[in-house]
Amino acid sequence: KAGVTQTPRYLIKTRGQQVTLSCSPISGHRSVSWYQQTPGQGLQFLFEYFSETQRNKGNFPGRFSGRQFSNSRSEMNVSTLELGDSALYLCASKSDSSSYEQYFGPGTRLTVT
Amino acid sequence: GENVEQHPSTLSVQEGDSAVIKCTYSDSASNYFPWYKQELGKGPQLIIDIRSNVGEKKDQRIAVTLNKTAKHFSLHITETQPEDSAVYFCAASNGWSFGNEKLTFGTGTRLTIIP
């Protein structure tokens, strides 16, 4: 089975711009979560989607949003980028609401200049 | 909310020796404790996990122990090899009940195996 895939792998944006990141979960997985990883804050939960519904959201400003499509693929969007948004954005999937194991993709490295 | 502390932040061991990484958690409702290994340029890889109804779990050279009373859990790697060098993260969650579908991570341990 193919793992979680994320595109693009690297991205450079300018302050004030917006960005959309994409995640394709493992085939058959219906839950997708997004995490931000930075050297200072570590791994922090952004939000989780299951069957196109956001079920949980972390403590991030409204500039961070996401959605999930009927095929379970997910996108996250960051508007009005700030320098502090530079991070590795990780997507993780798990099969359904009753499963525990969560599998991560390789991440998208976002640099804001 | 849940808070997970992880120690040490860095660990160097001689090849063939054992490595132990420890984590504590704050939320007594947490019942799932995975460990992830992250290599440079890659996403975290699930290497072992344990649920609260189990005290210990082993998979070849890797084992995890859980003490629910003390709210701490540990990762044990025996017979370490150079390919074990990576950053290891512990995490906790309270079972994926609706509205709680998230992992809270420790701050990571950079493990270096000295040949």
Side-chain angles (χ1 to χ4, degrees):
Chain A
K1 234 183 218 183
V4 178
T5 58
Q6 294 187 243
T7 57
R9 292 293 312 278
Y10 303 91
L11 206 49
I12 300 175
K13 289 287 188 178
T14 304
R15 263 185 310 176
Q17 289 186 316
Q18 73 166 17
V19 67
T20 299
L21 312 181
S22 181
C23 170
S24 292
I26 293 170
S27 178
H29 283 196
R30 296 164 62 194
S31 167
V32 173
S33 296
W34 288 88
Y35 292 82
Q36 181 196 64
Q37 185 175 27
T38 60
Q41 299 299 317
L43 280 150
Q44 292 189 292
F45 172 77
L46 280 156
F47 29 66
E48 190 261 356
Y49 287 87
F50 181 82
S51 292
E52 302 179 66
T53 300
Q54 185 184 90
R55 296 197 297 186
N56 198 10
K57 190 177 189 302
N59 297 323
F60 279 82
R63 301 185 296 107
F64 292 81
S65 62
R67 60 178 175 169
Q68 186 180 35
F69 302 94
S70 58
N71 61 358
S72 295
R73 190 178 70 86
S74 177
E75 289 181 347
M76 68 164 282
N77 182 276
V78 187
S79 62
T80 319
L81 285 166
E82 301 177 358
L83 295 178
D85 296 334
S86 294
L88 181 67
Y89 289 90
L90 293 158
C91 166
S93 75
K94 67 186 182 85
S95 60
D96 57 39
S97 59
S98 62
S99 62
Y100 286 78
E101 296 82 6
Q102 198 170 51
Y103 300 94
F104 282 83
T108 294
R109 172 74 62 186
L110 172 65
T111 301
V112 182
T113 61
Chain B
E2 175 66 281
N3 182 51
V4 177
E5 295 190 357
Q6 182 172 349
H7 299 280
S9 57
T10 61
L11 180 61
S12 295
V13 301
Q14 292 287 339
E15 182 179 352
D17 287 350
S18 296
V20 180
I21 302 171
K22 298 182 179 181
C23 289
T24 60
Y25 61 98
S26 61
D27 188 351
S28 56
S30 289
N31 60 7
Y32 175 64
F33 308 92
W35 286 88
Y36 287 86
K37 174 185 181 181
Q38 188 172 26
E39 297 174 289
L40 200 61
K42 298 184 179 180
Q45 174 195 1
L46 179 65
I47 56 172
I48 196 167
D49 56 11
I50 193 167
R51 301 186 194 182
S52 60
N53 58 348
V54 175
E56 183 173 359
K57 183 177 178 181
K58 191 173 181 180
D59 182 5
Q60 298 181 3
R61 297 186 297 109
I62 294 174
V64 58
T65 58
L66 171 65
N67 183 327
K68 282 209 73 179
T69 304
K71 289 194 271 189
H72 67 70
F73 56 112
S74 301
L75 176 71
H76 304 253
I77 306 174
T78 59
E79 301 172 13
T80 53
Q81 301 169 3
E83 54 264 36
D84 294 330
S85 293
V87 179
Y88 291 81
F89 292 94
C90 62
S93 81
N94 61 2
W96 309 112
S97 57
F98 191 93
N100 289 291
E101 291 80 8
K102 68 173 183 178
L103 290 169
T104 301
F105 283 88
T107 49
T109 296
R110 182 174 299 279
L111 175 63
T112 302
I113 307 302
I114 304 166

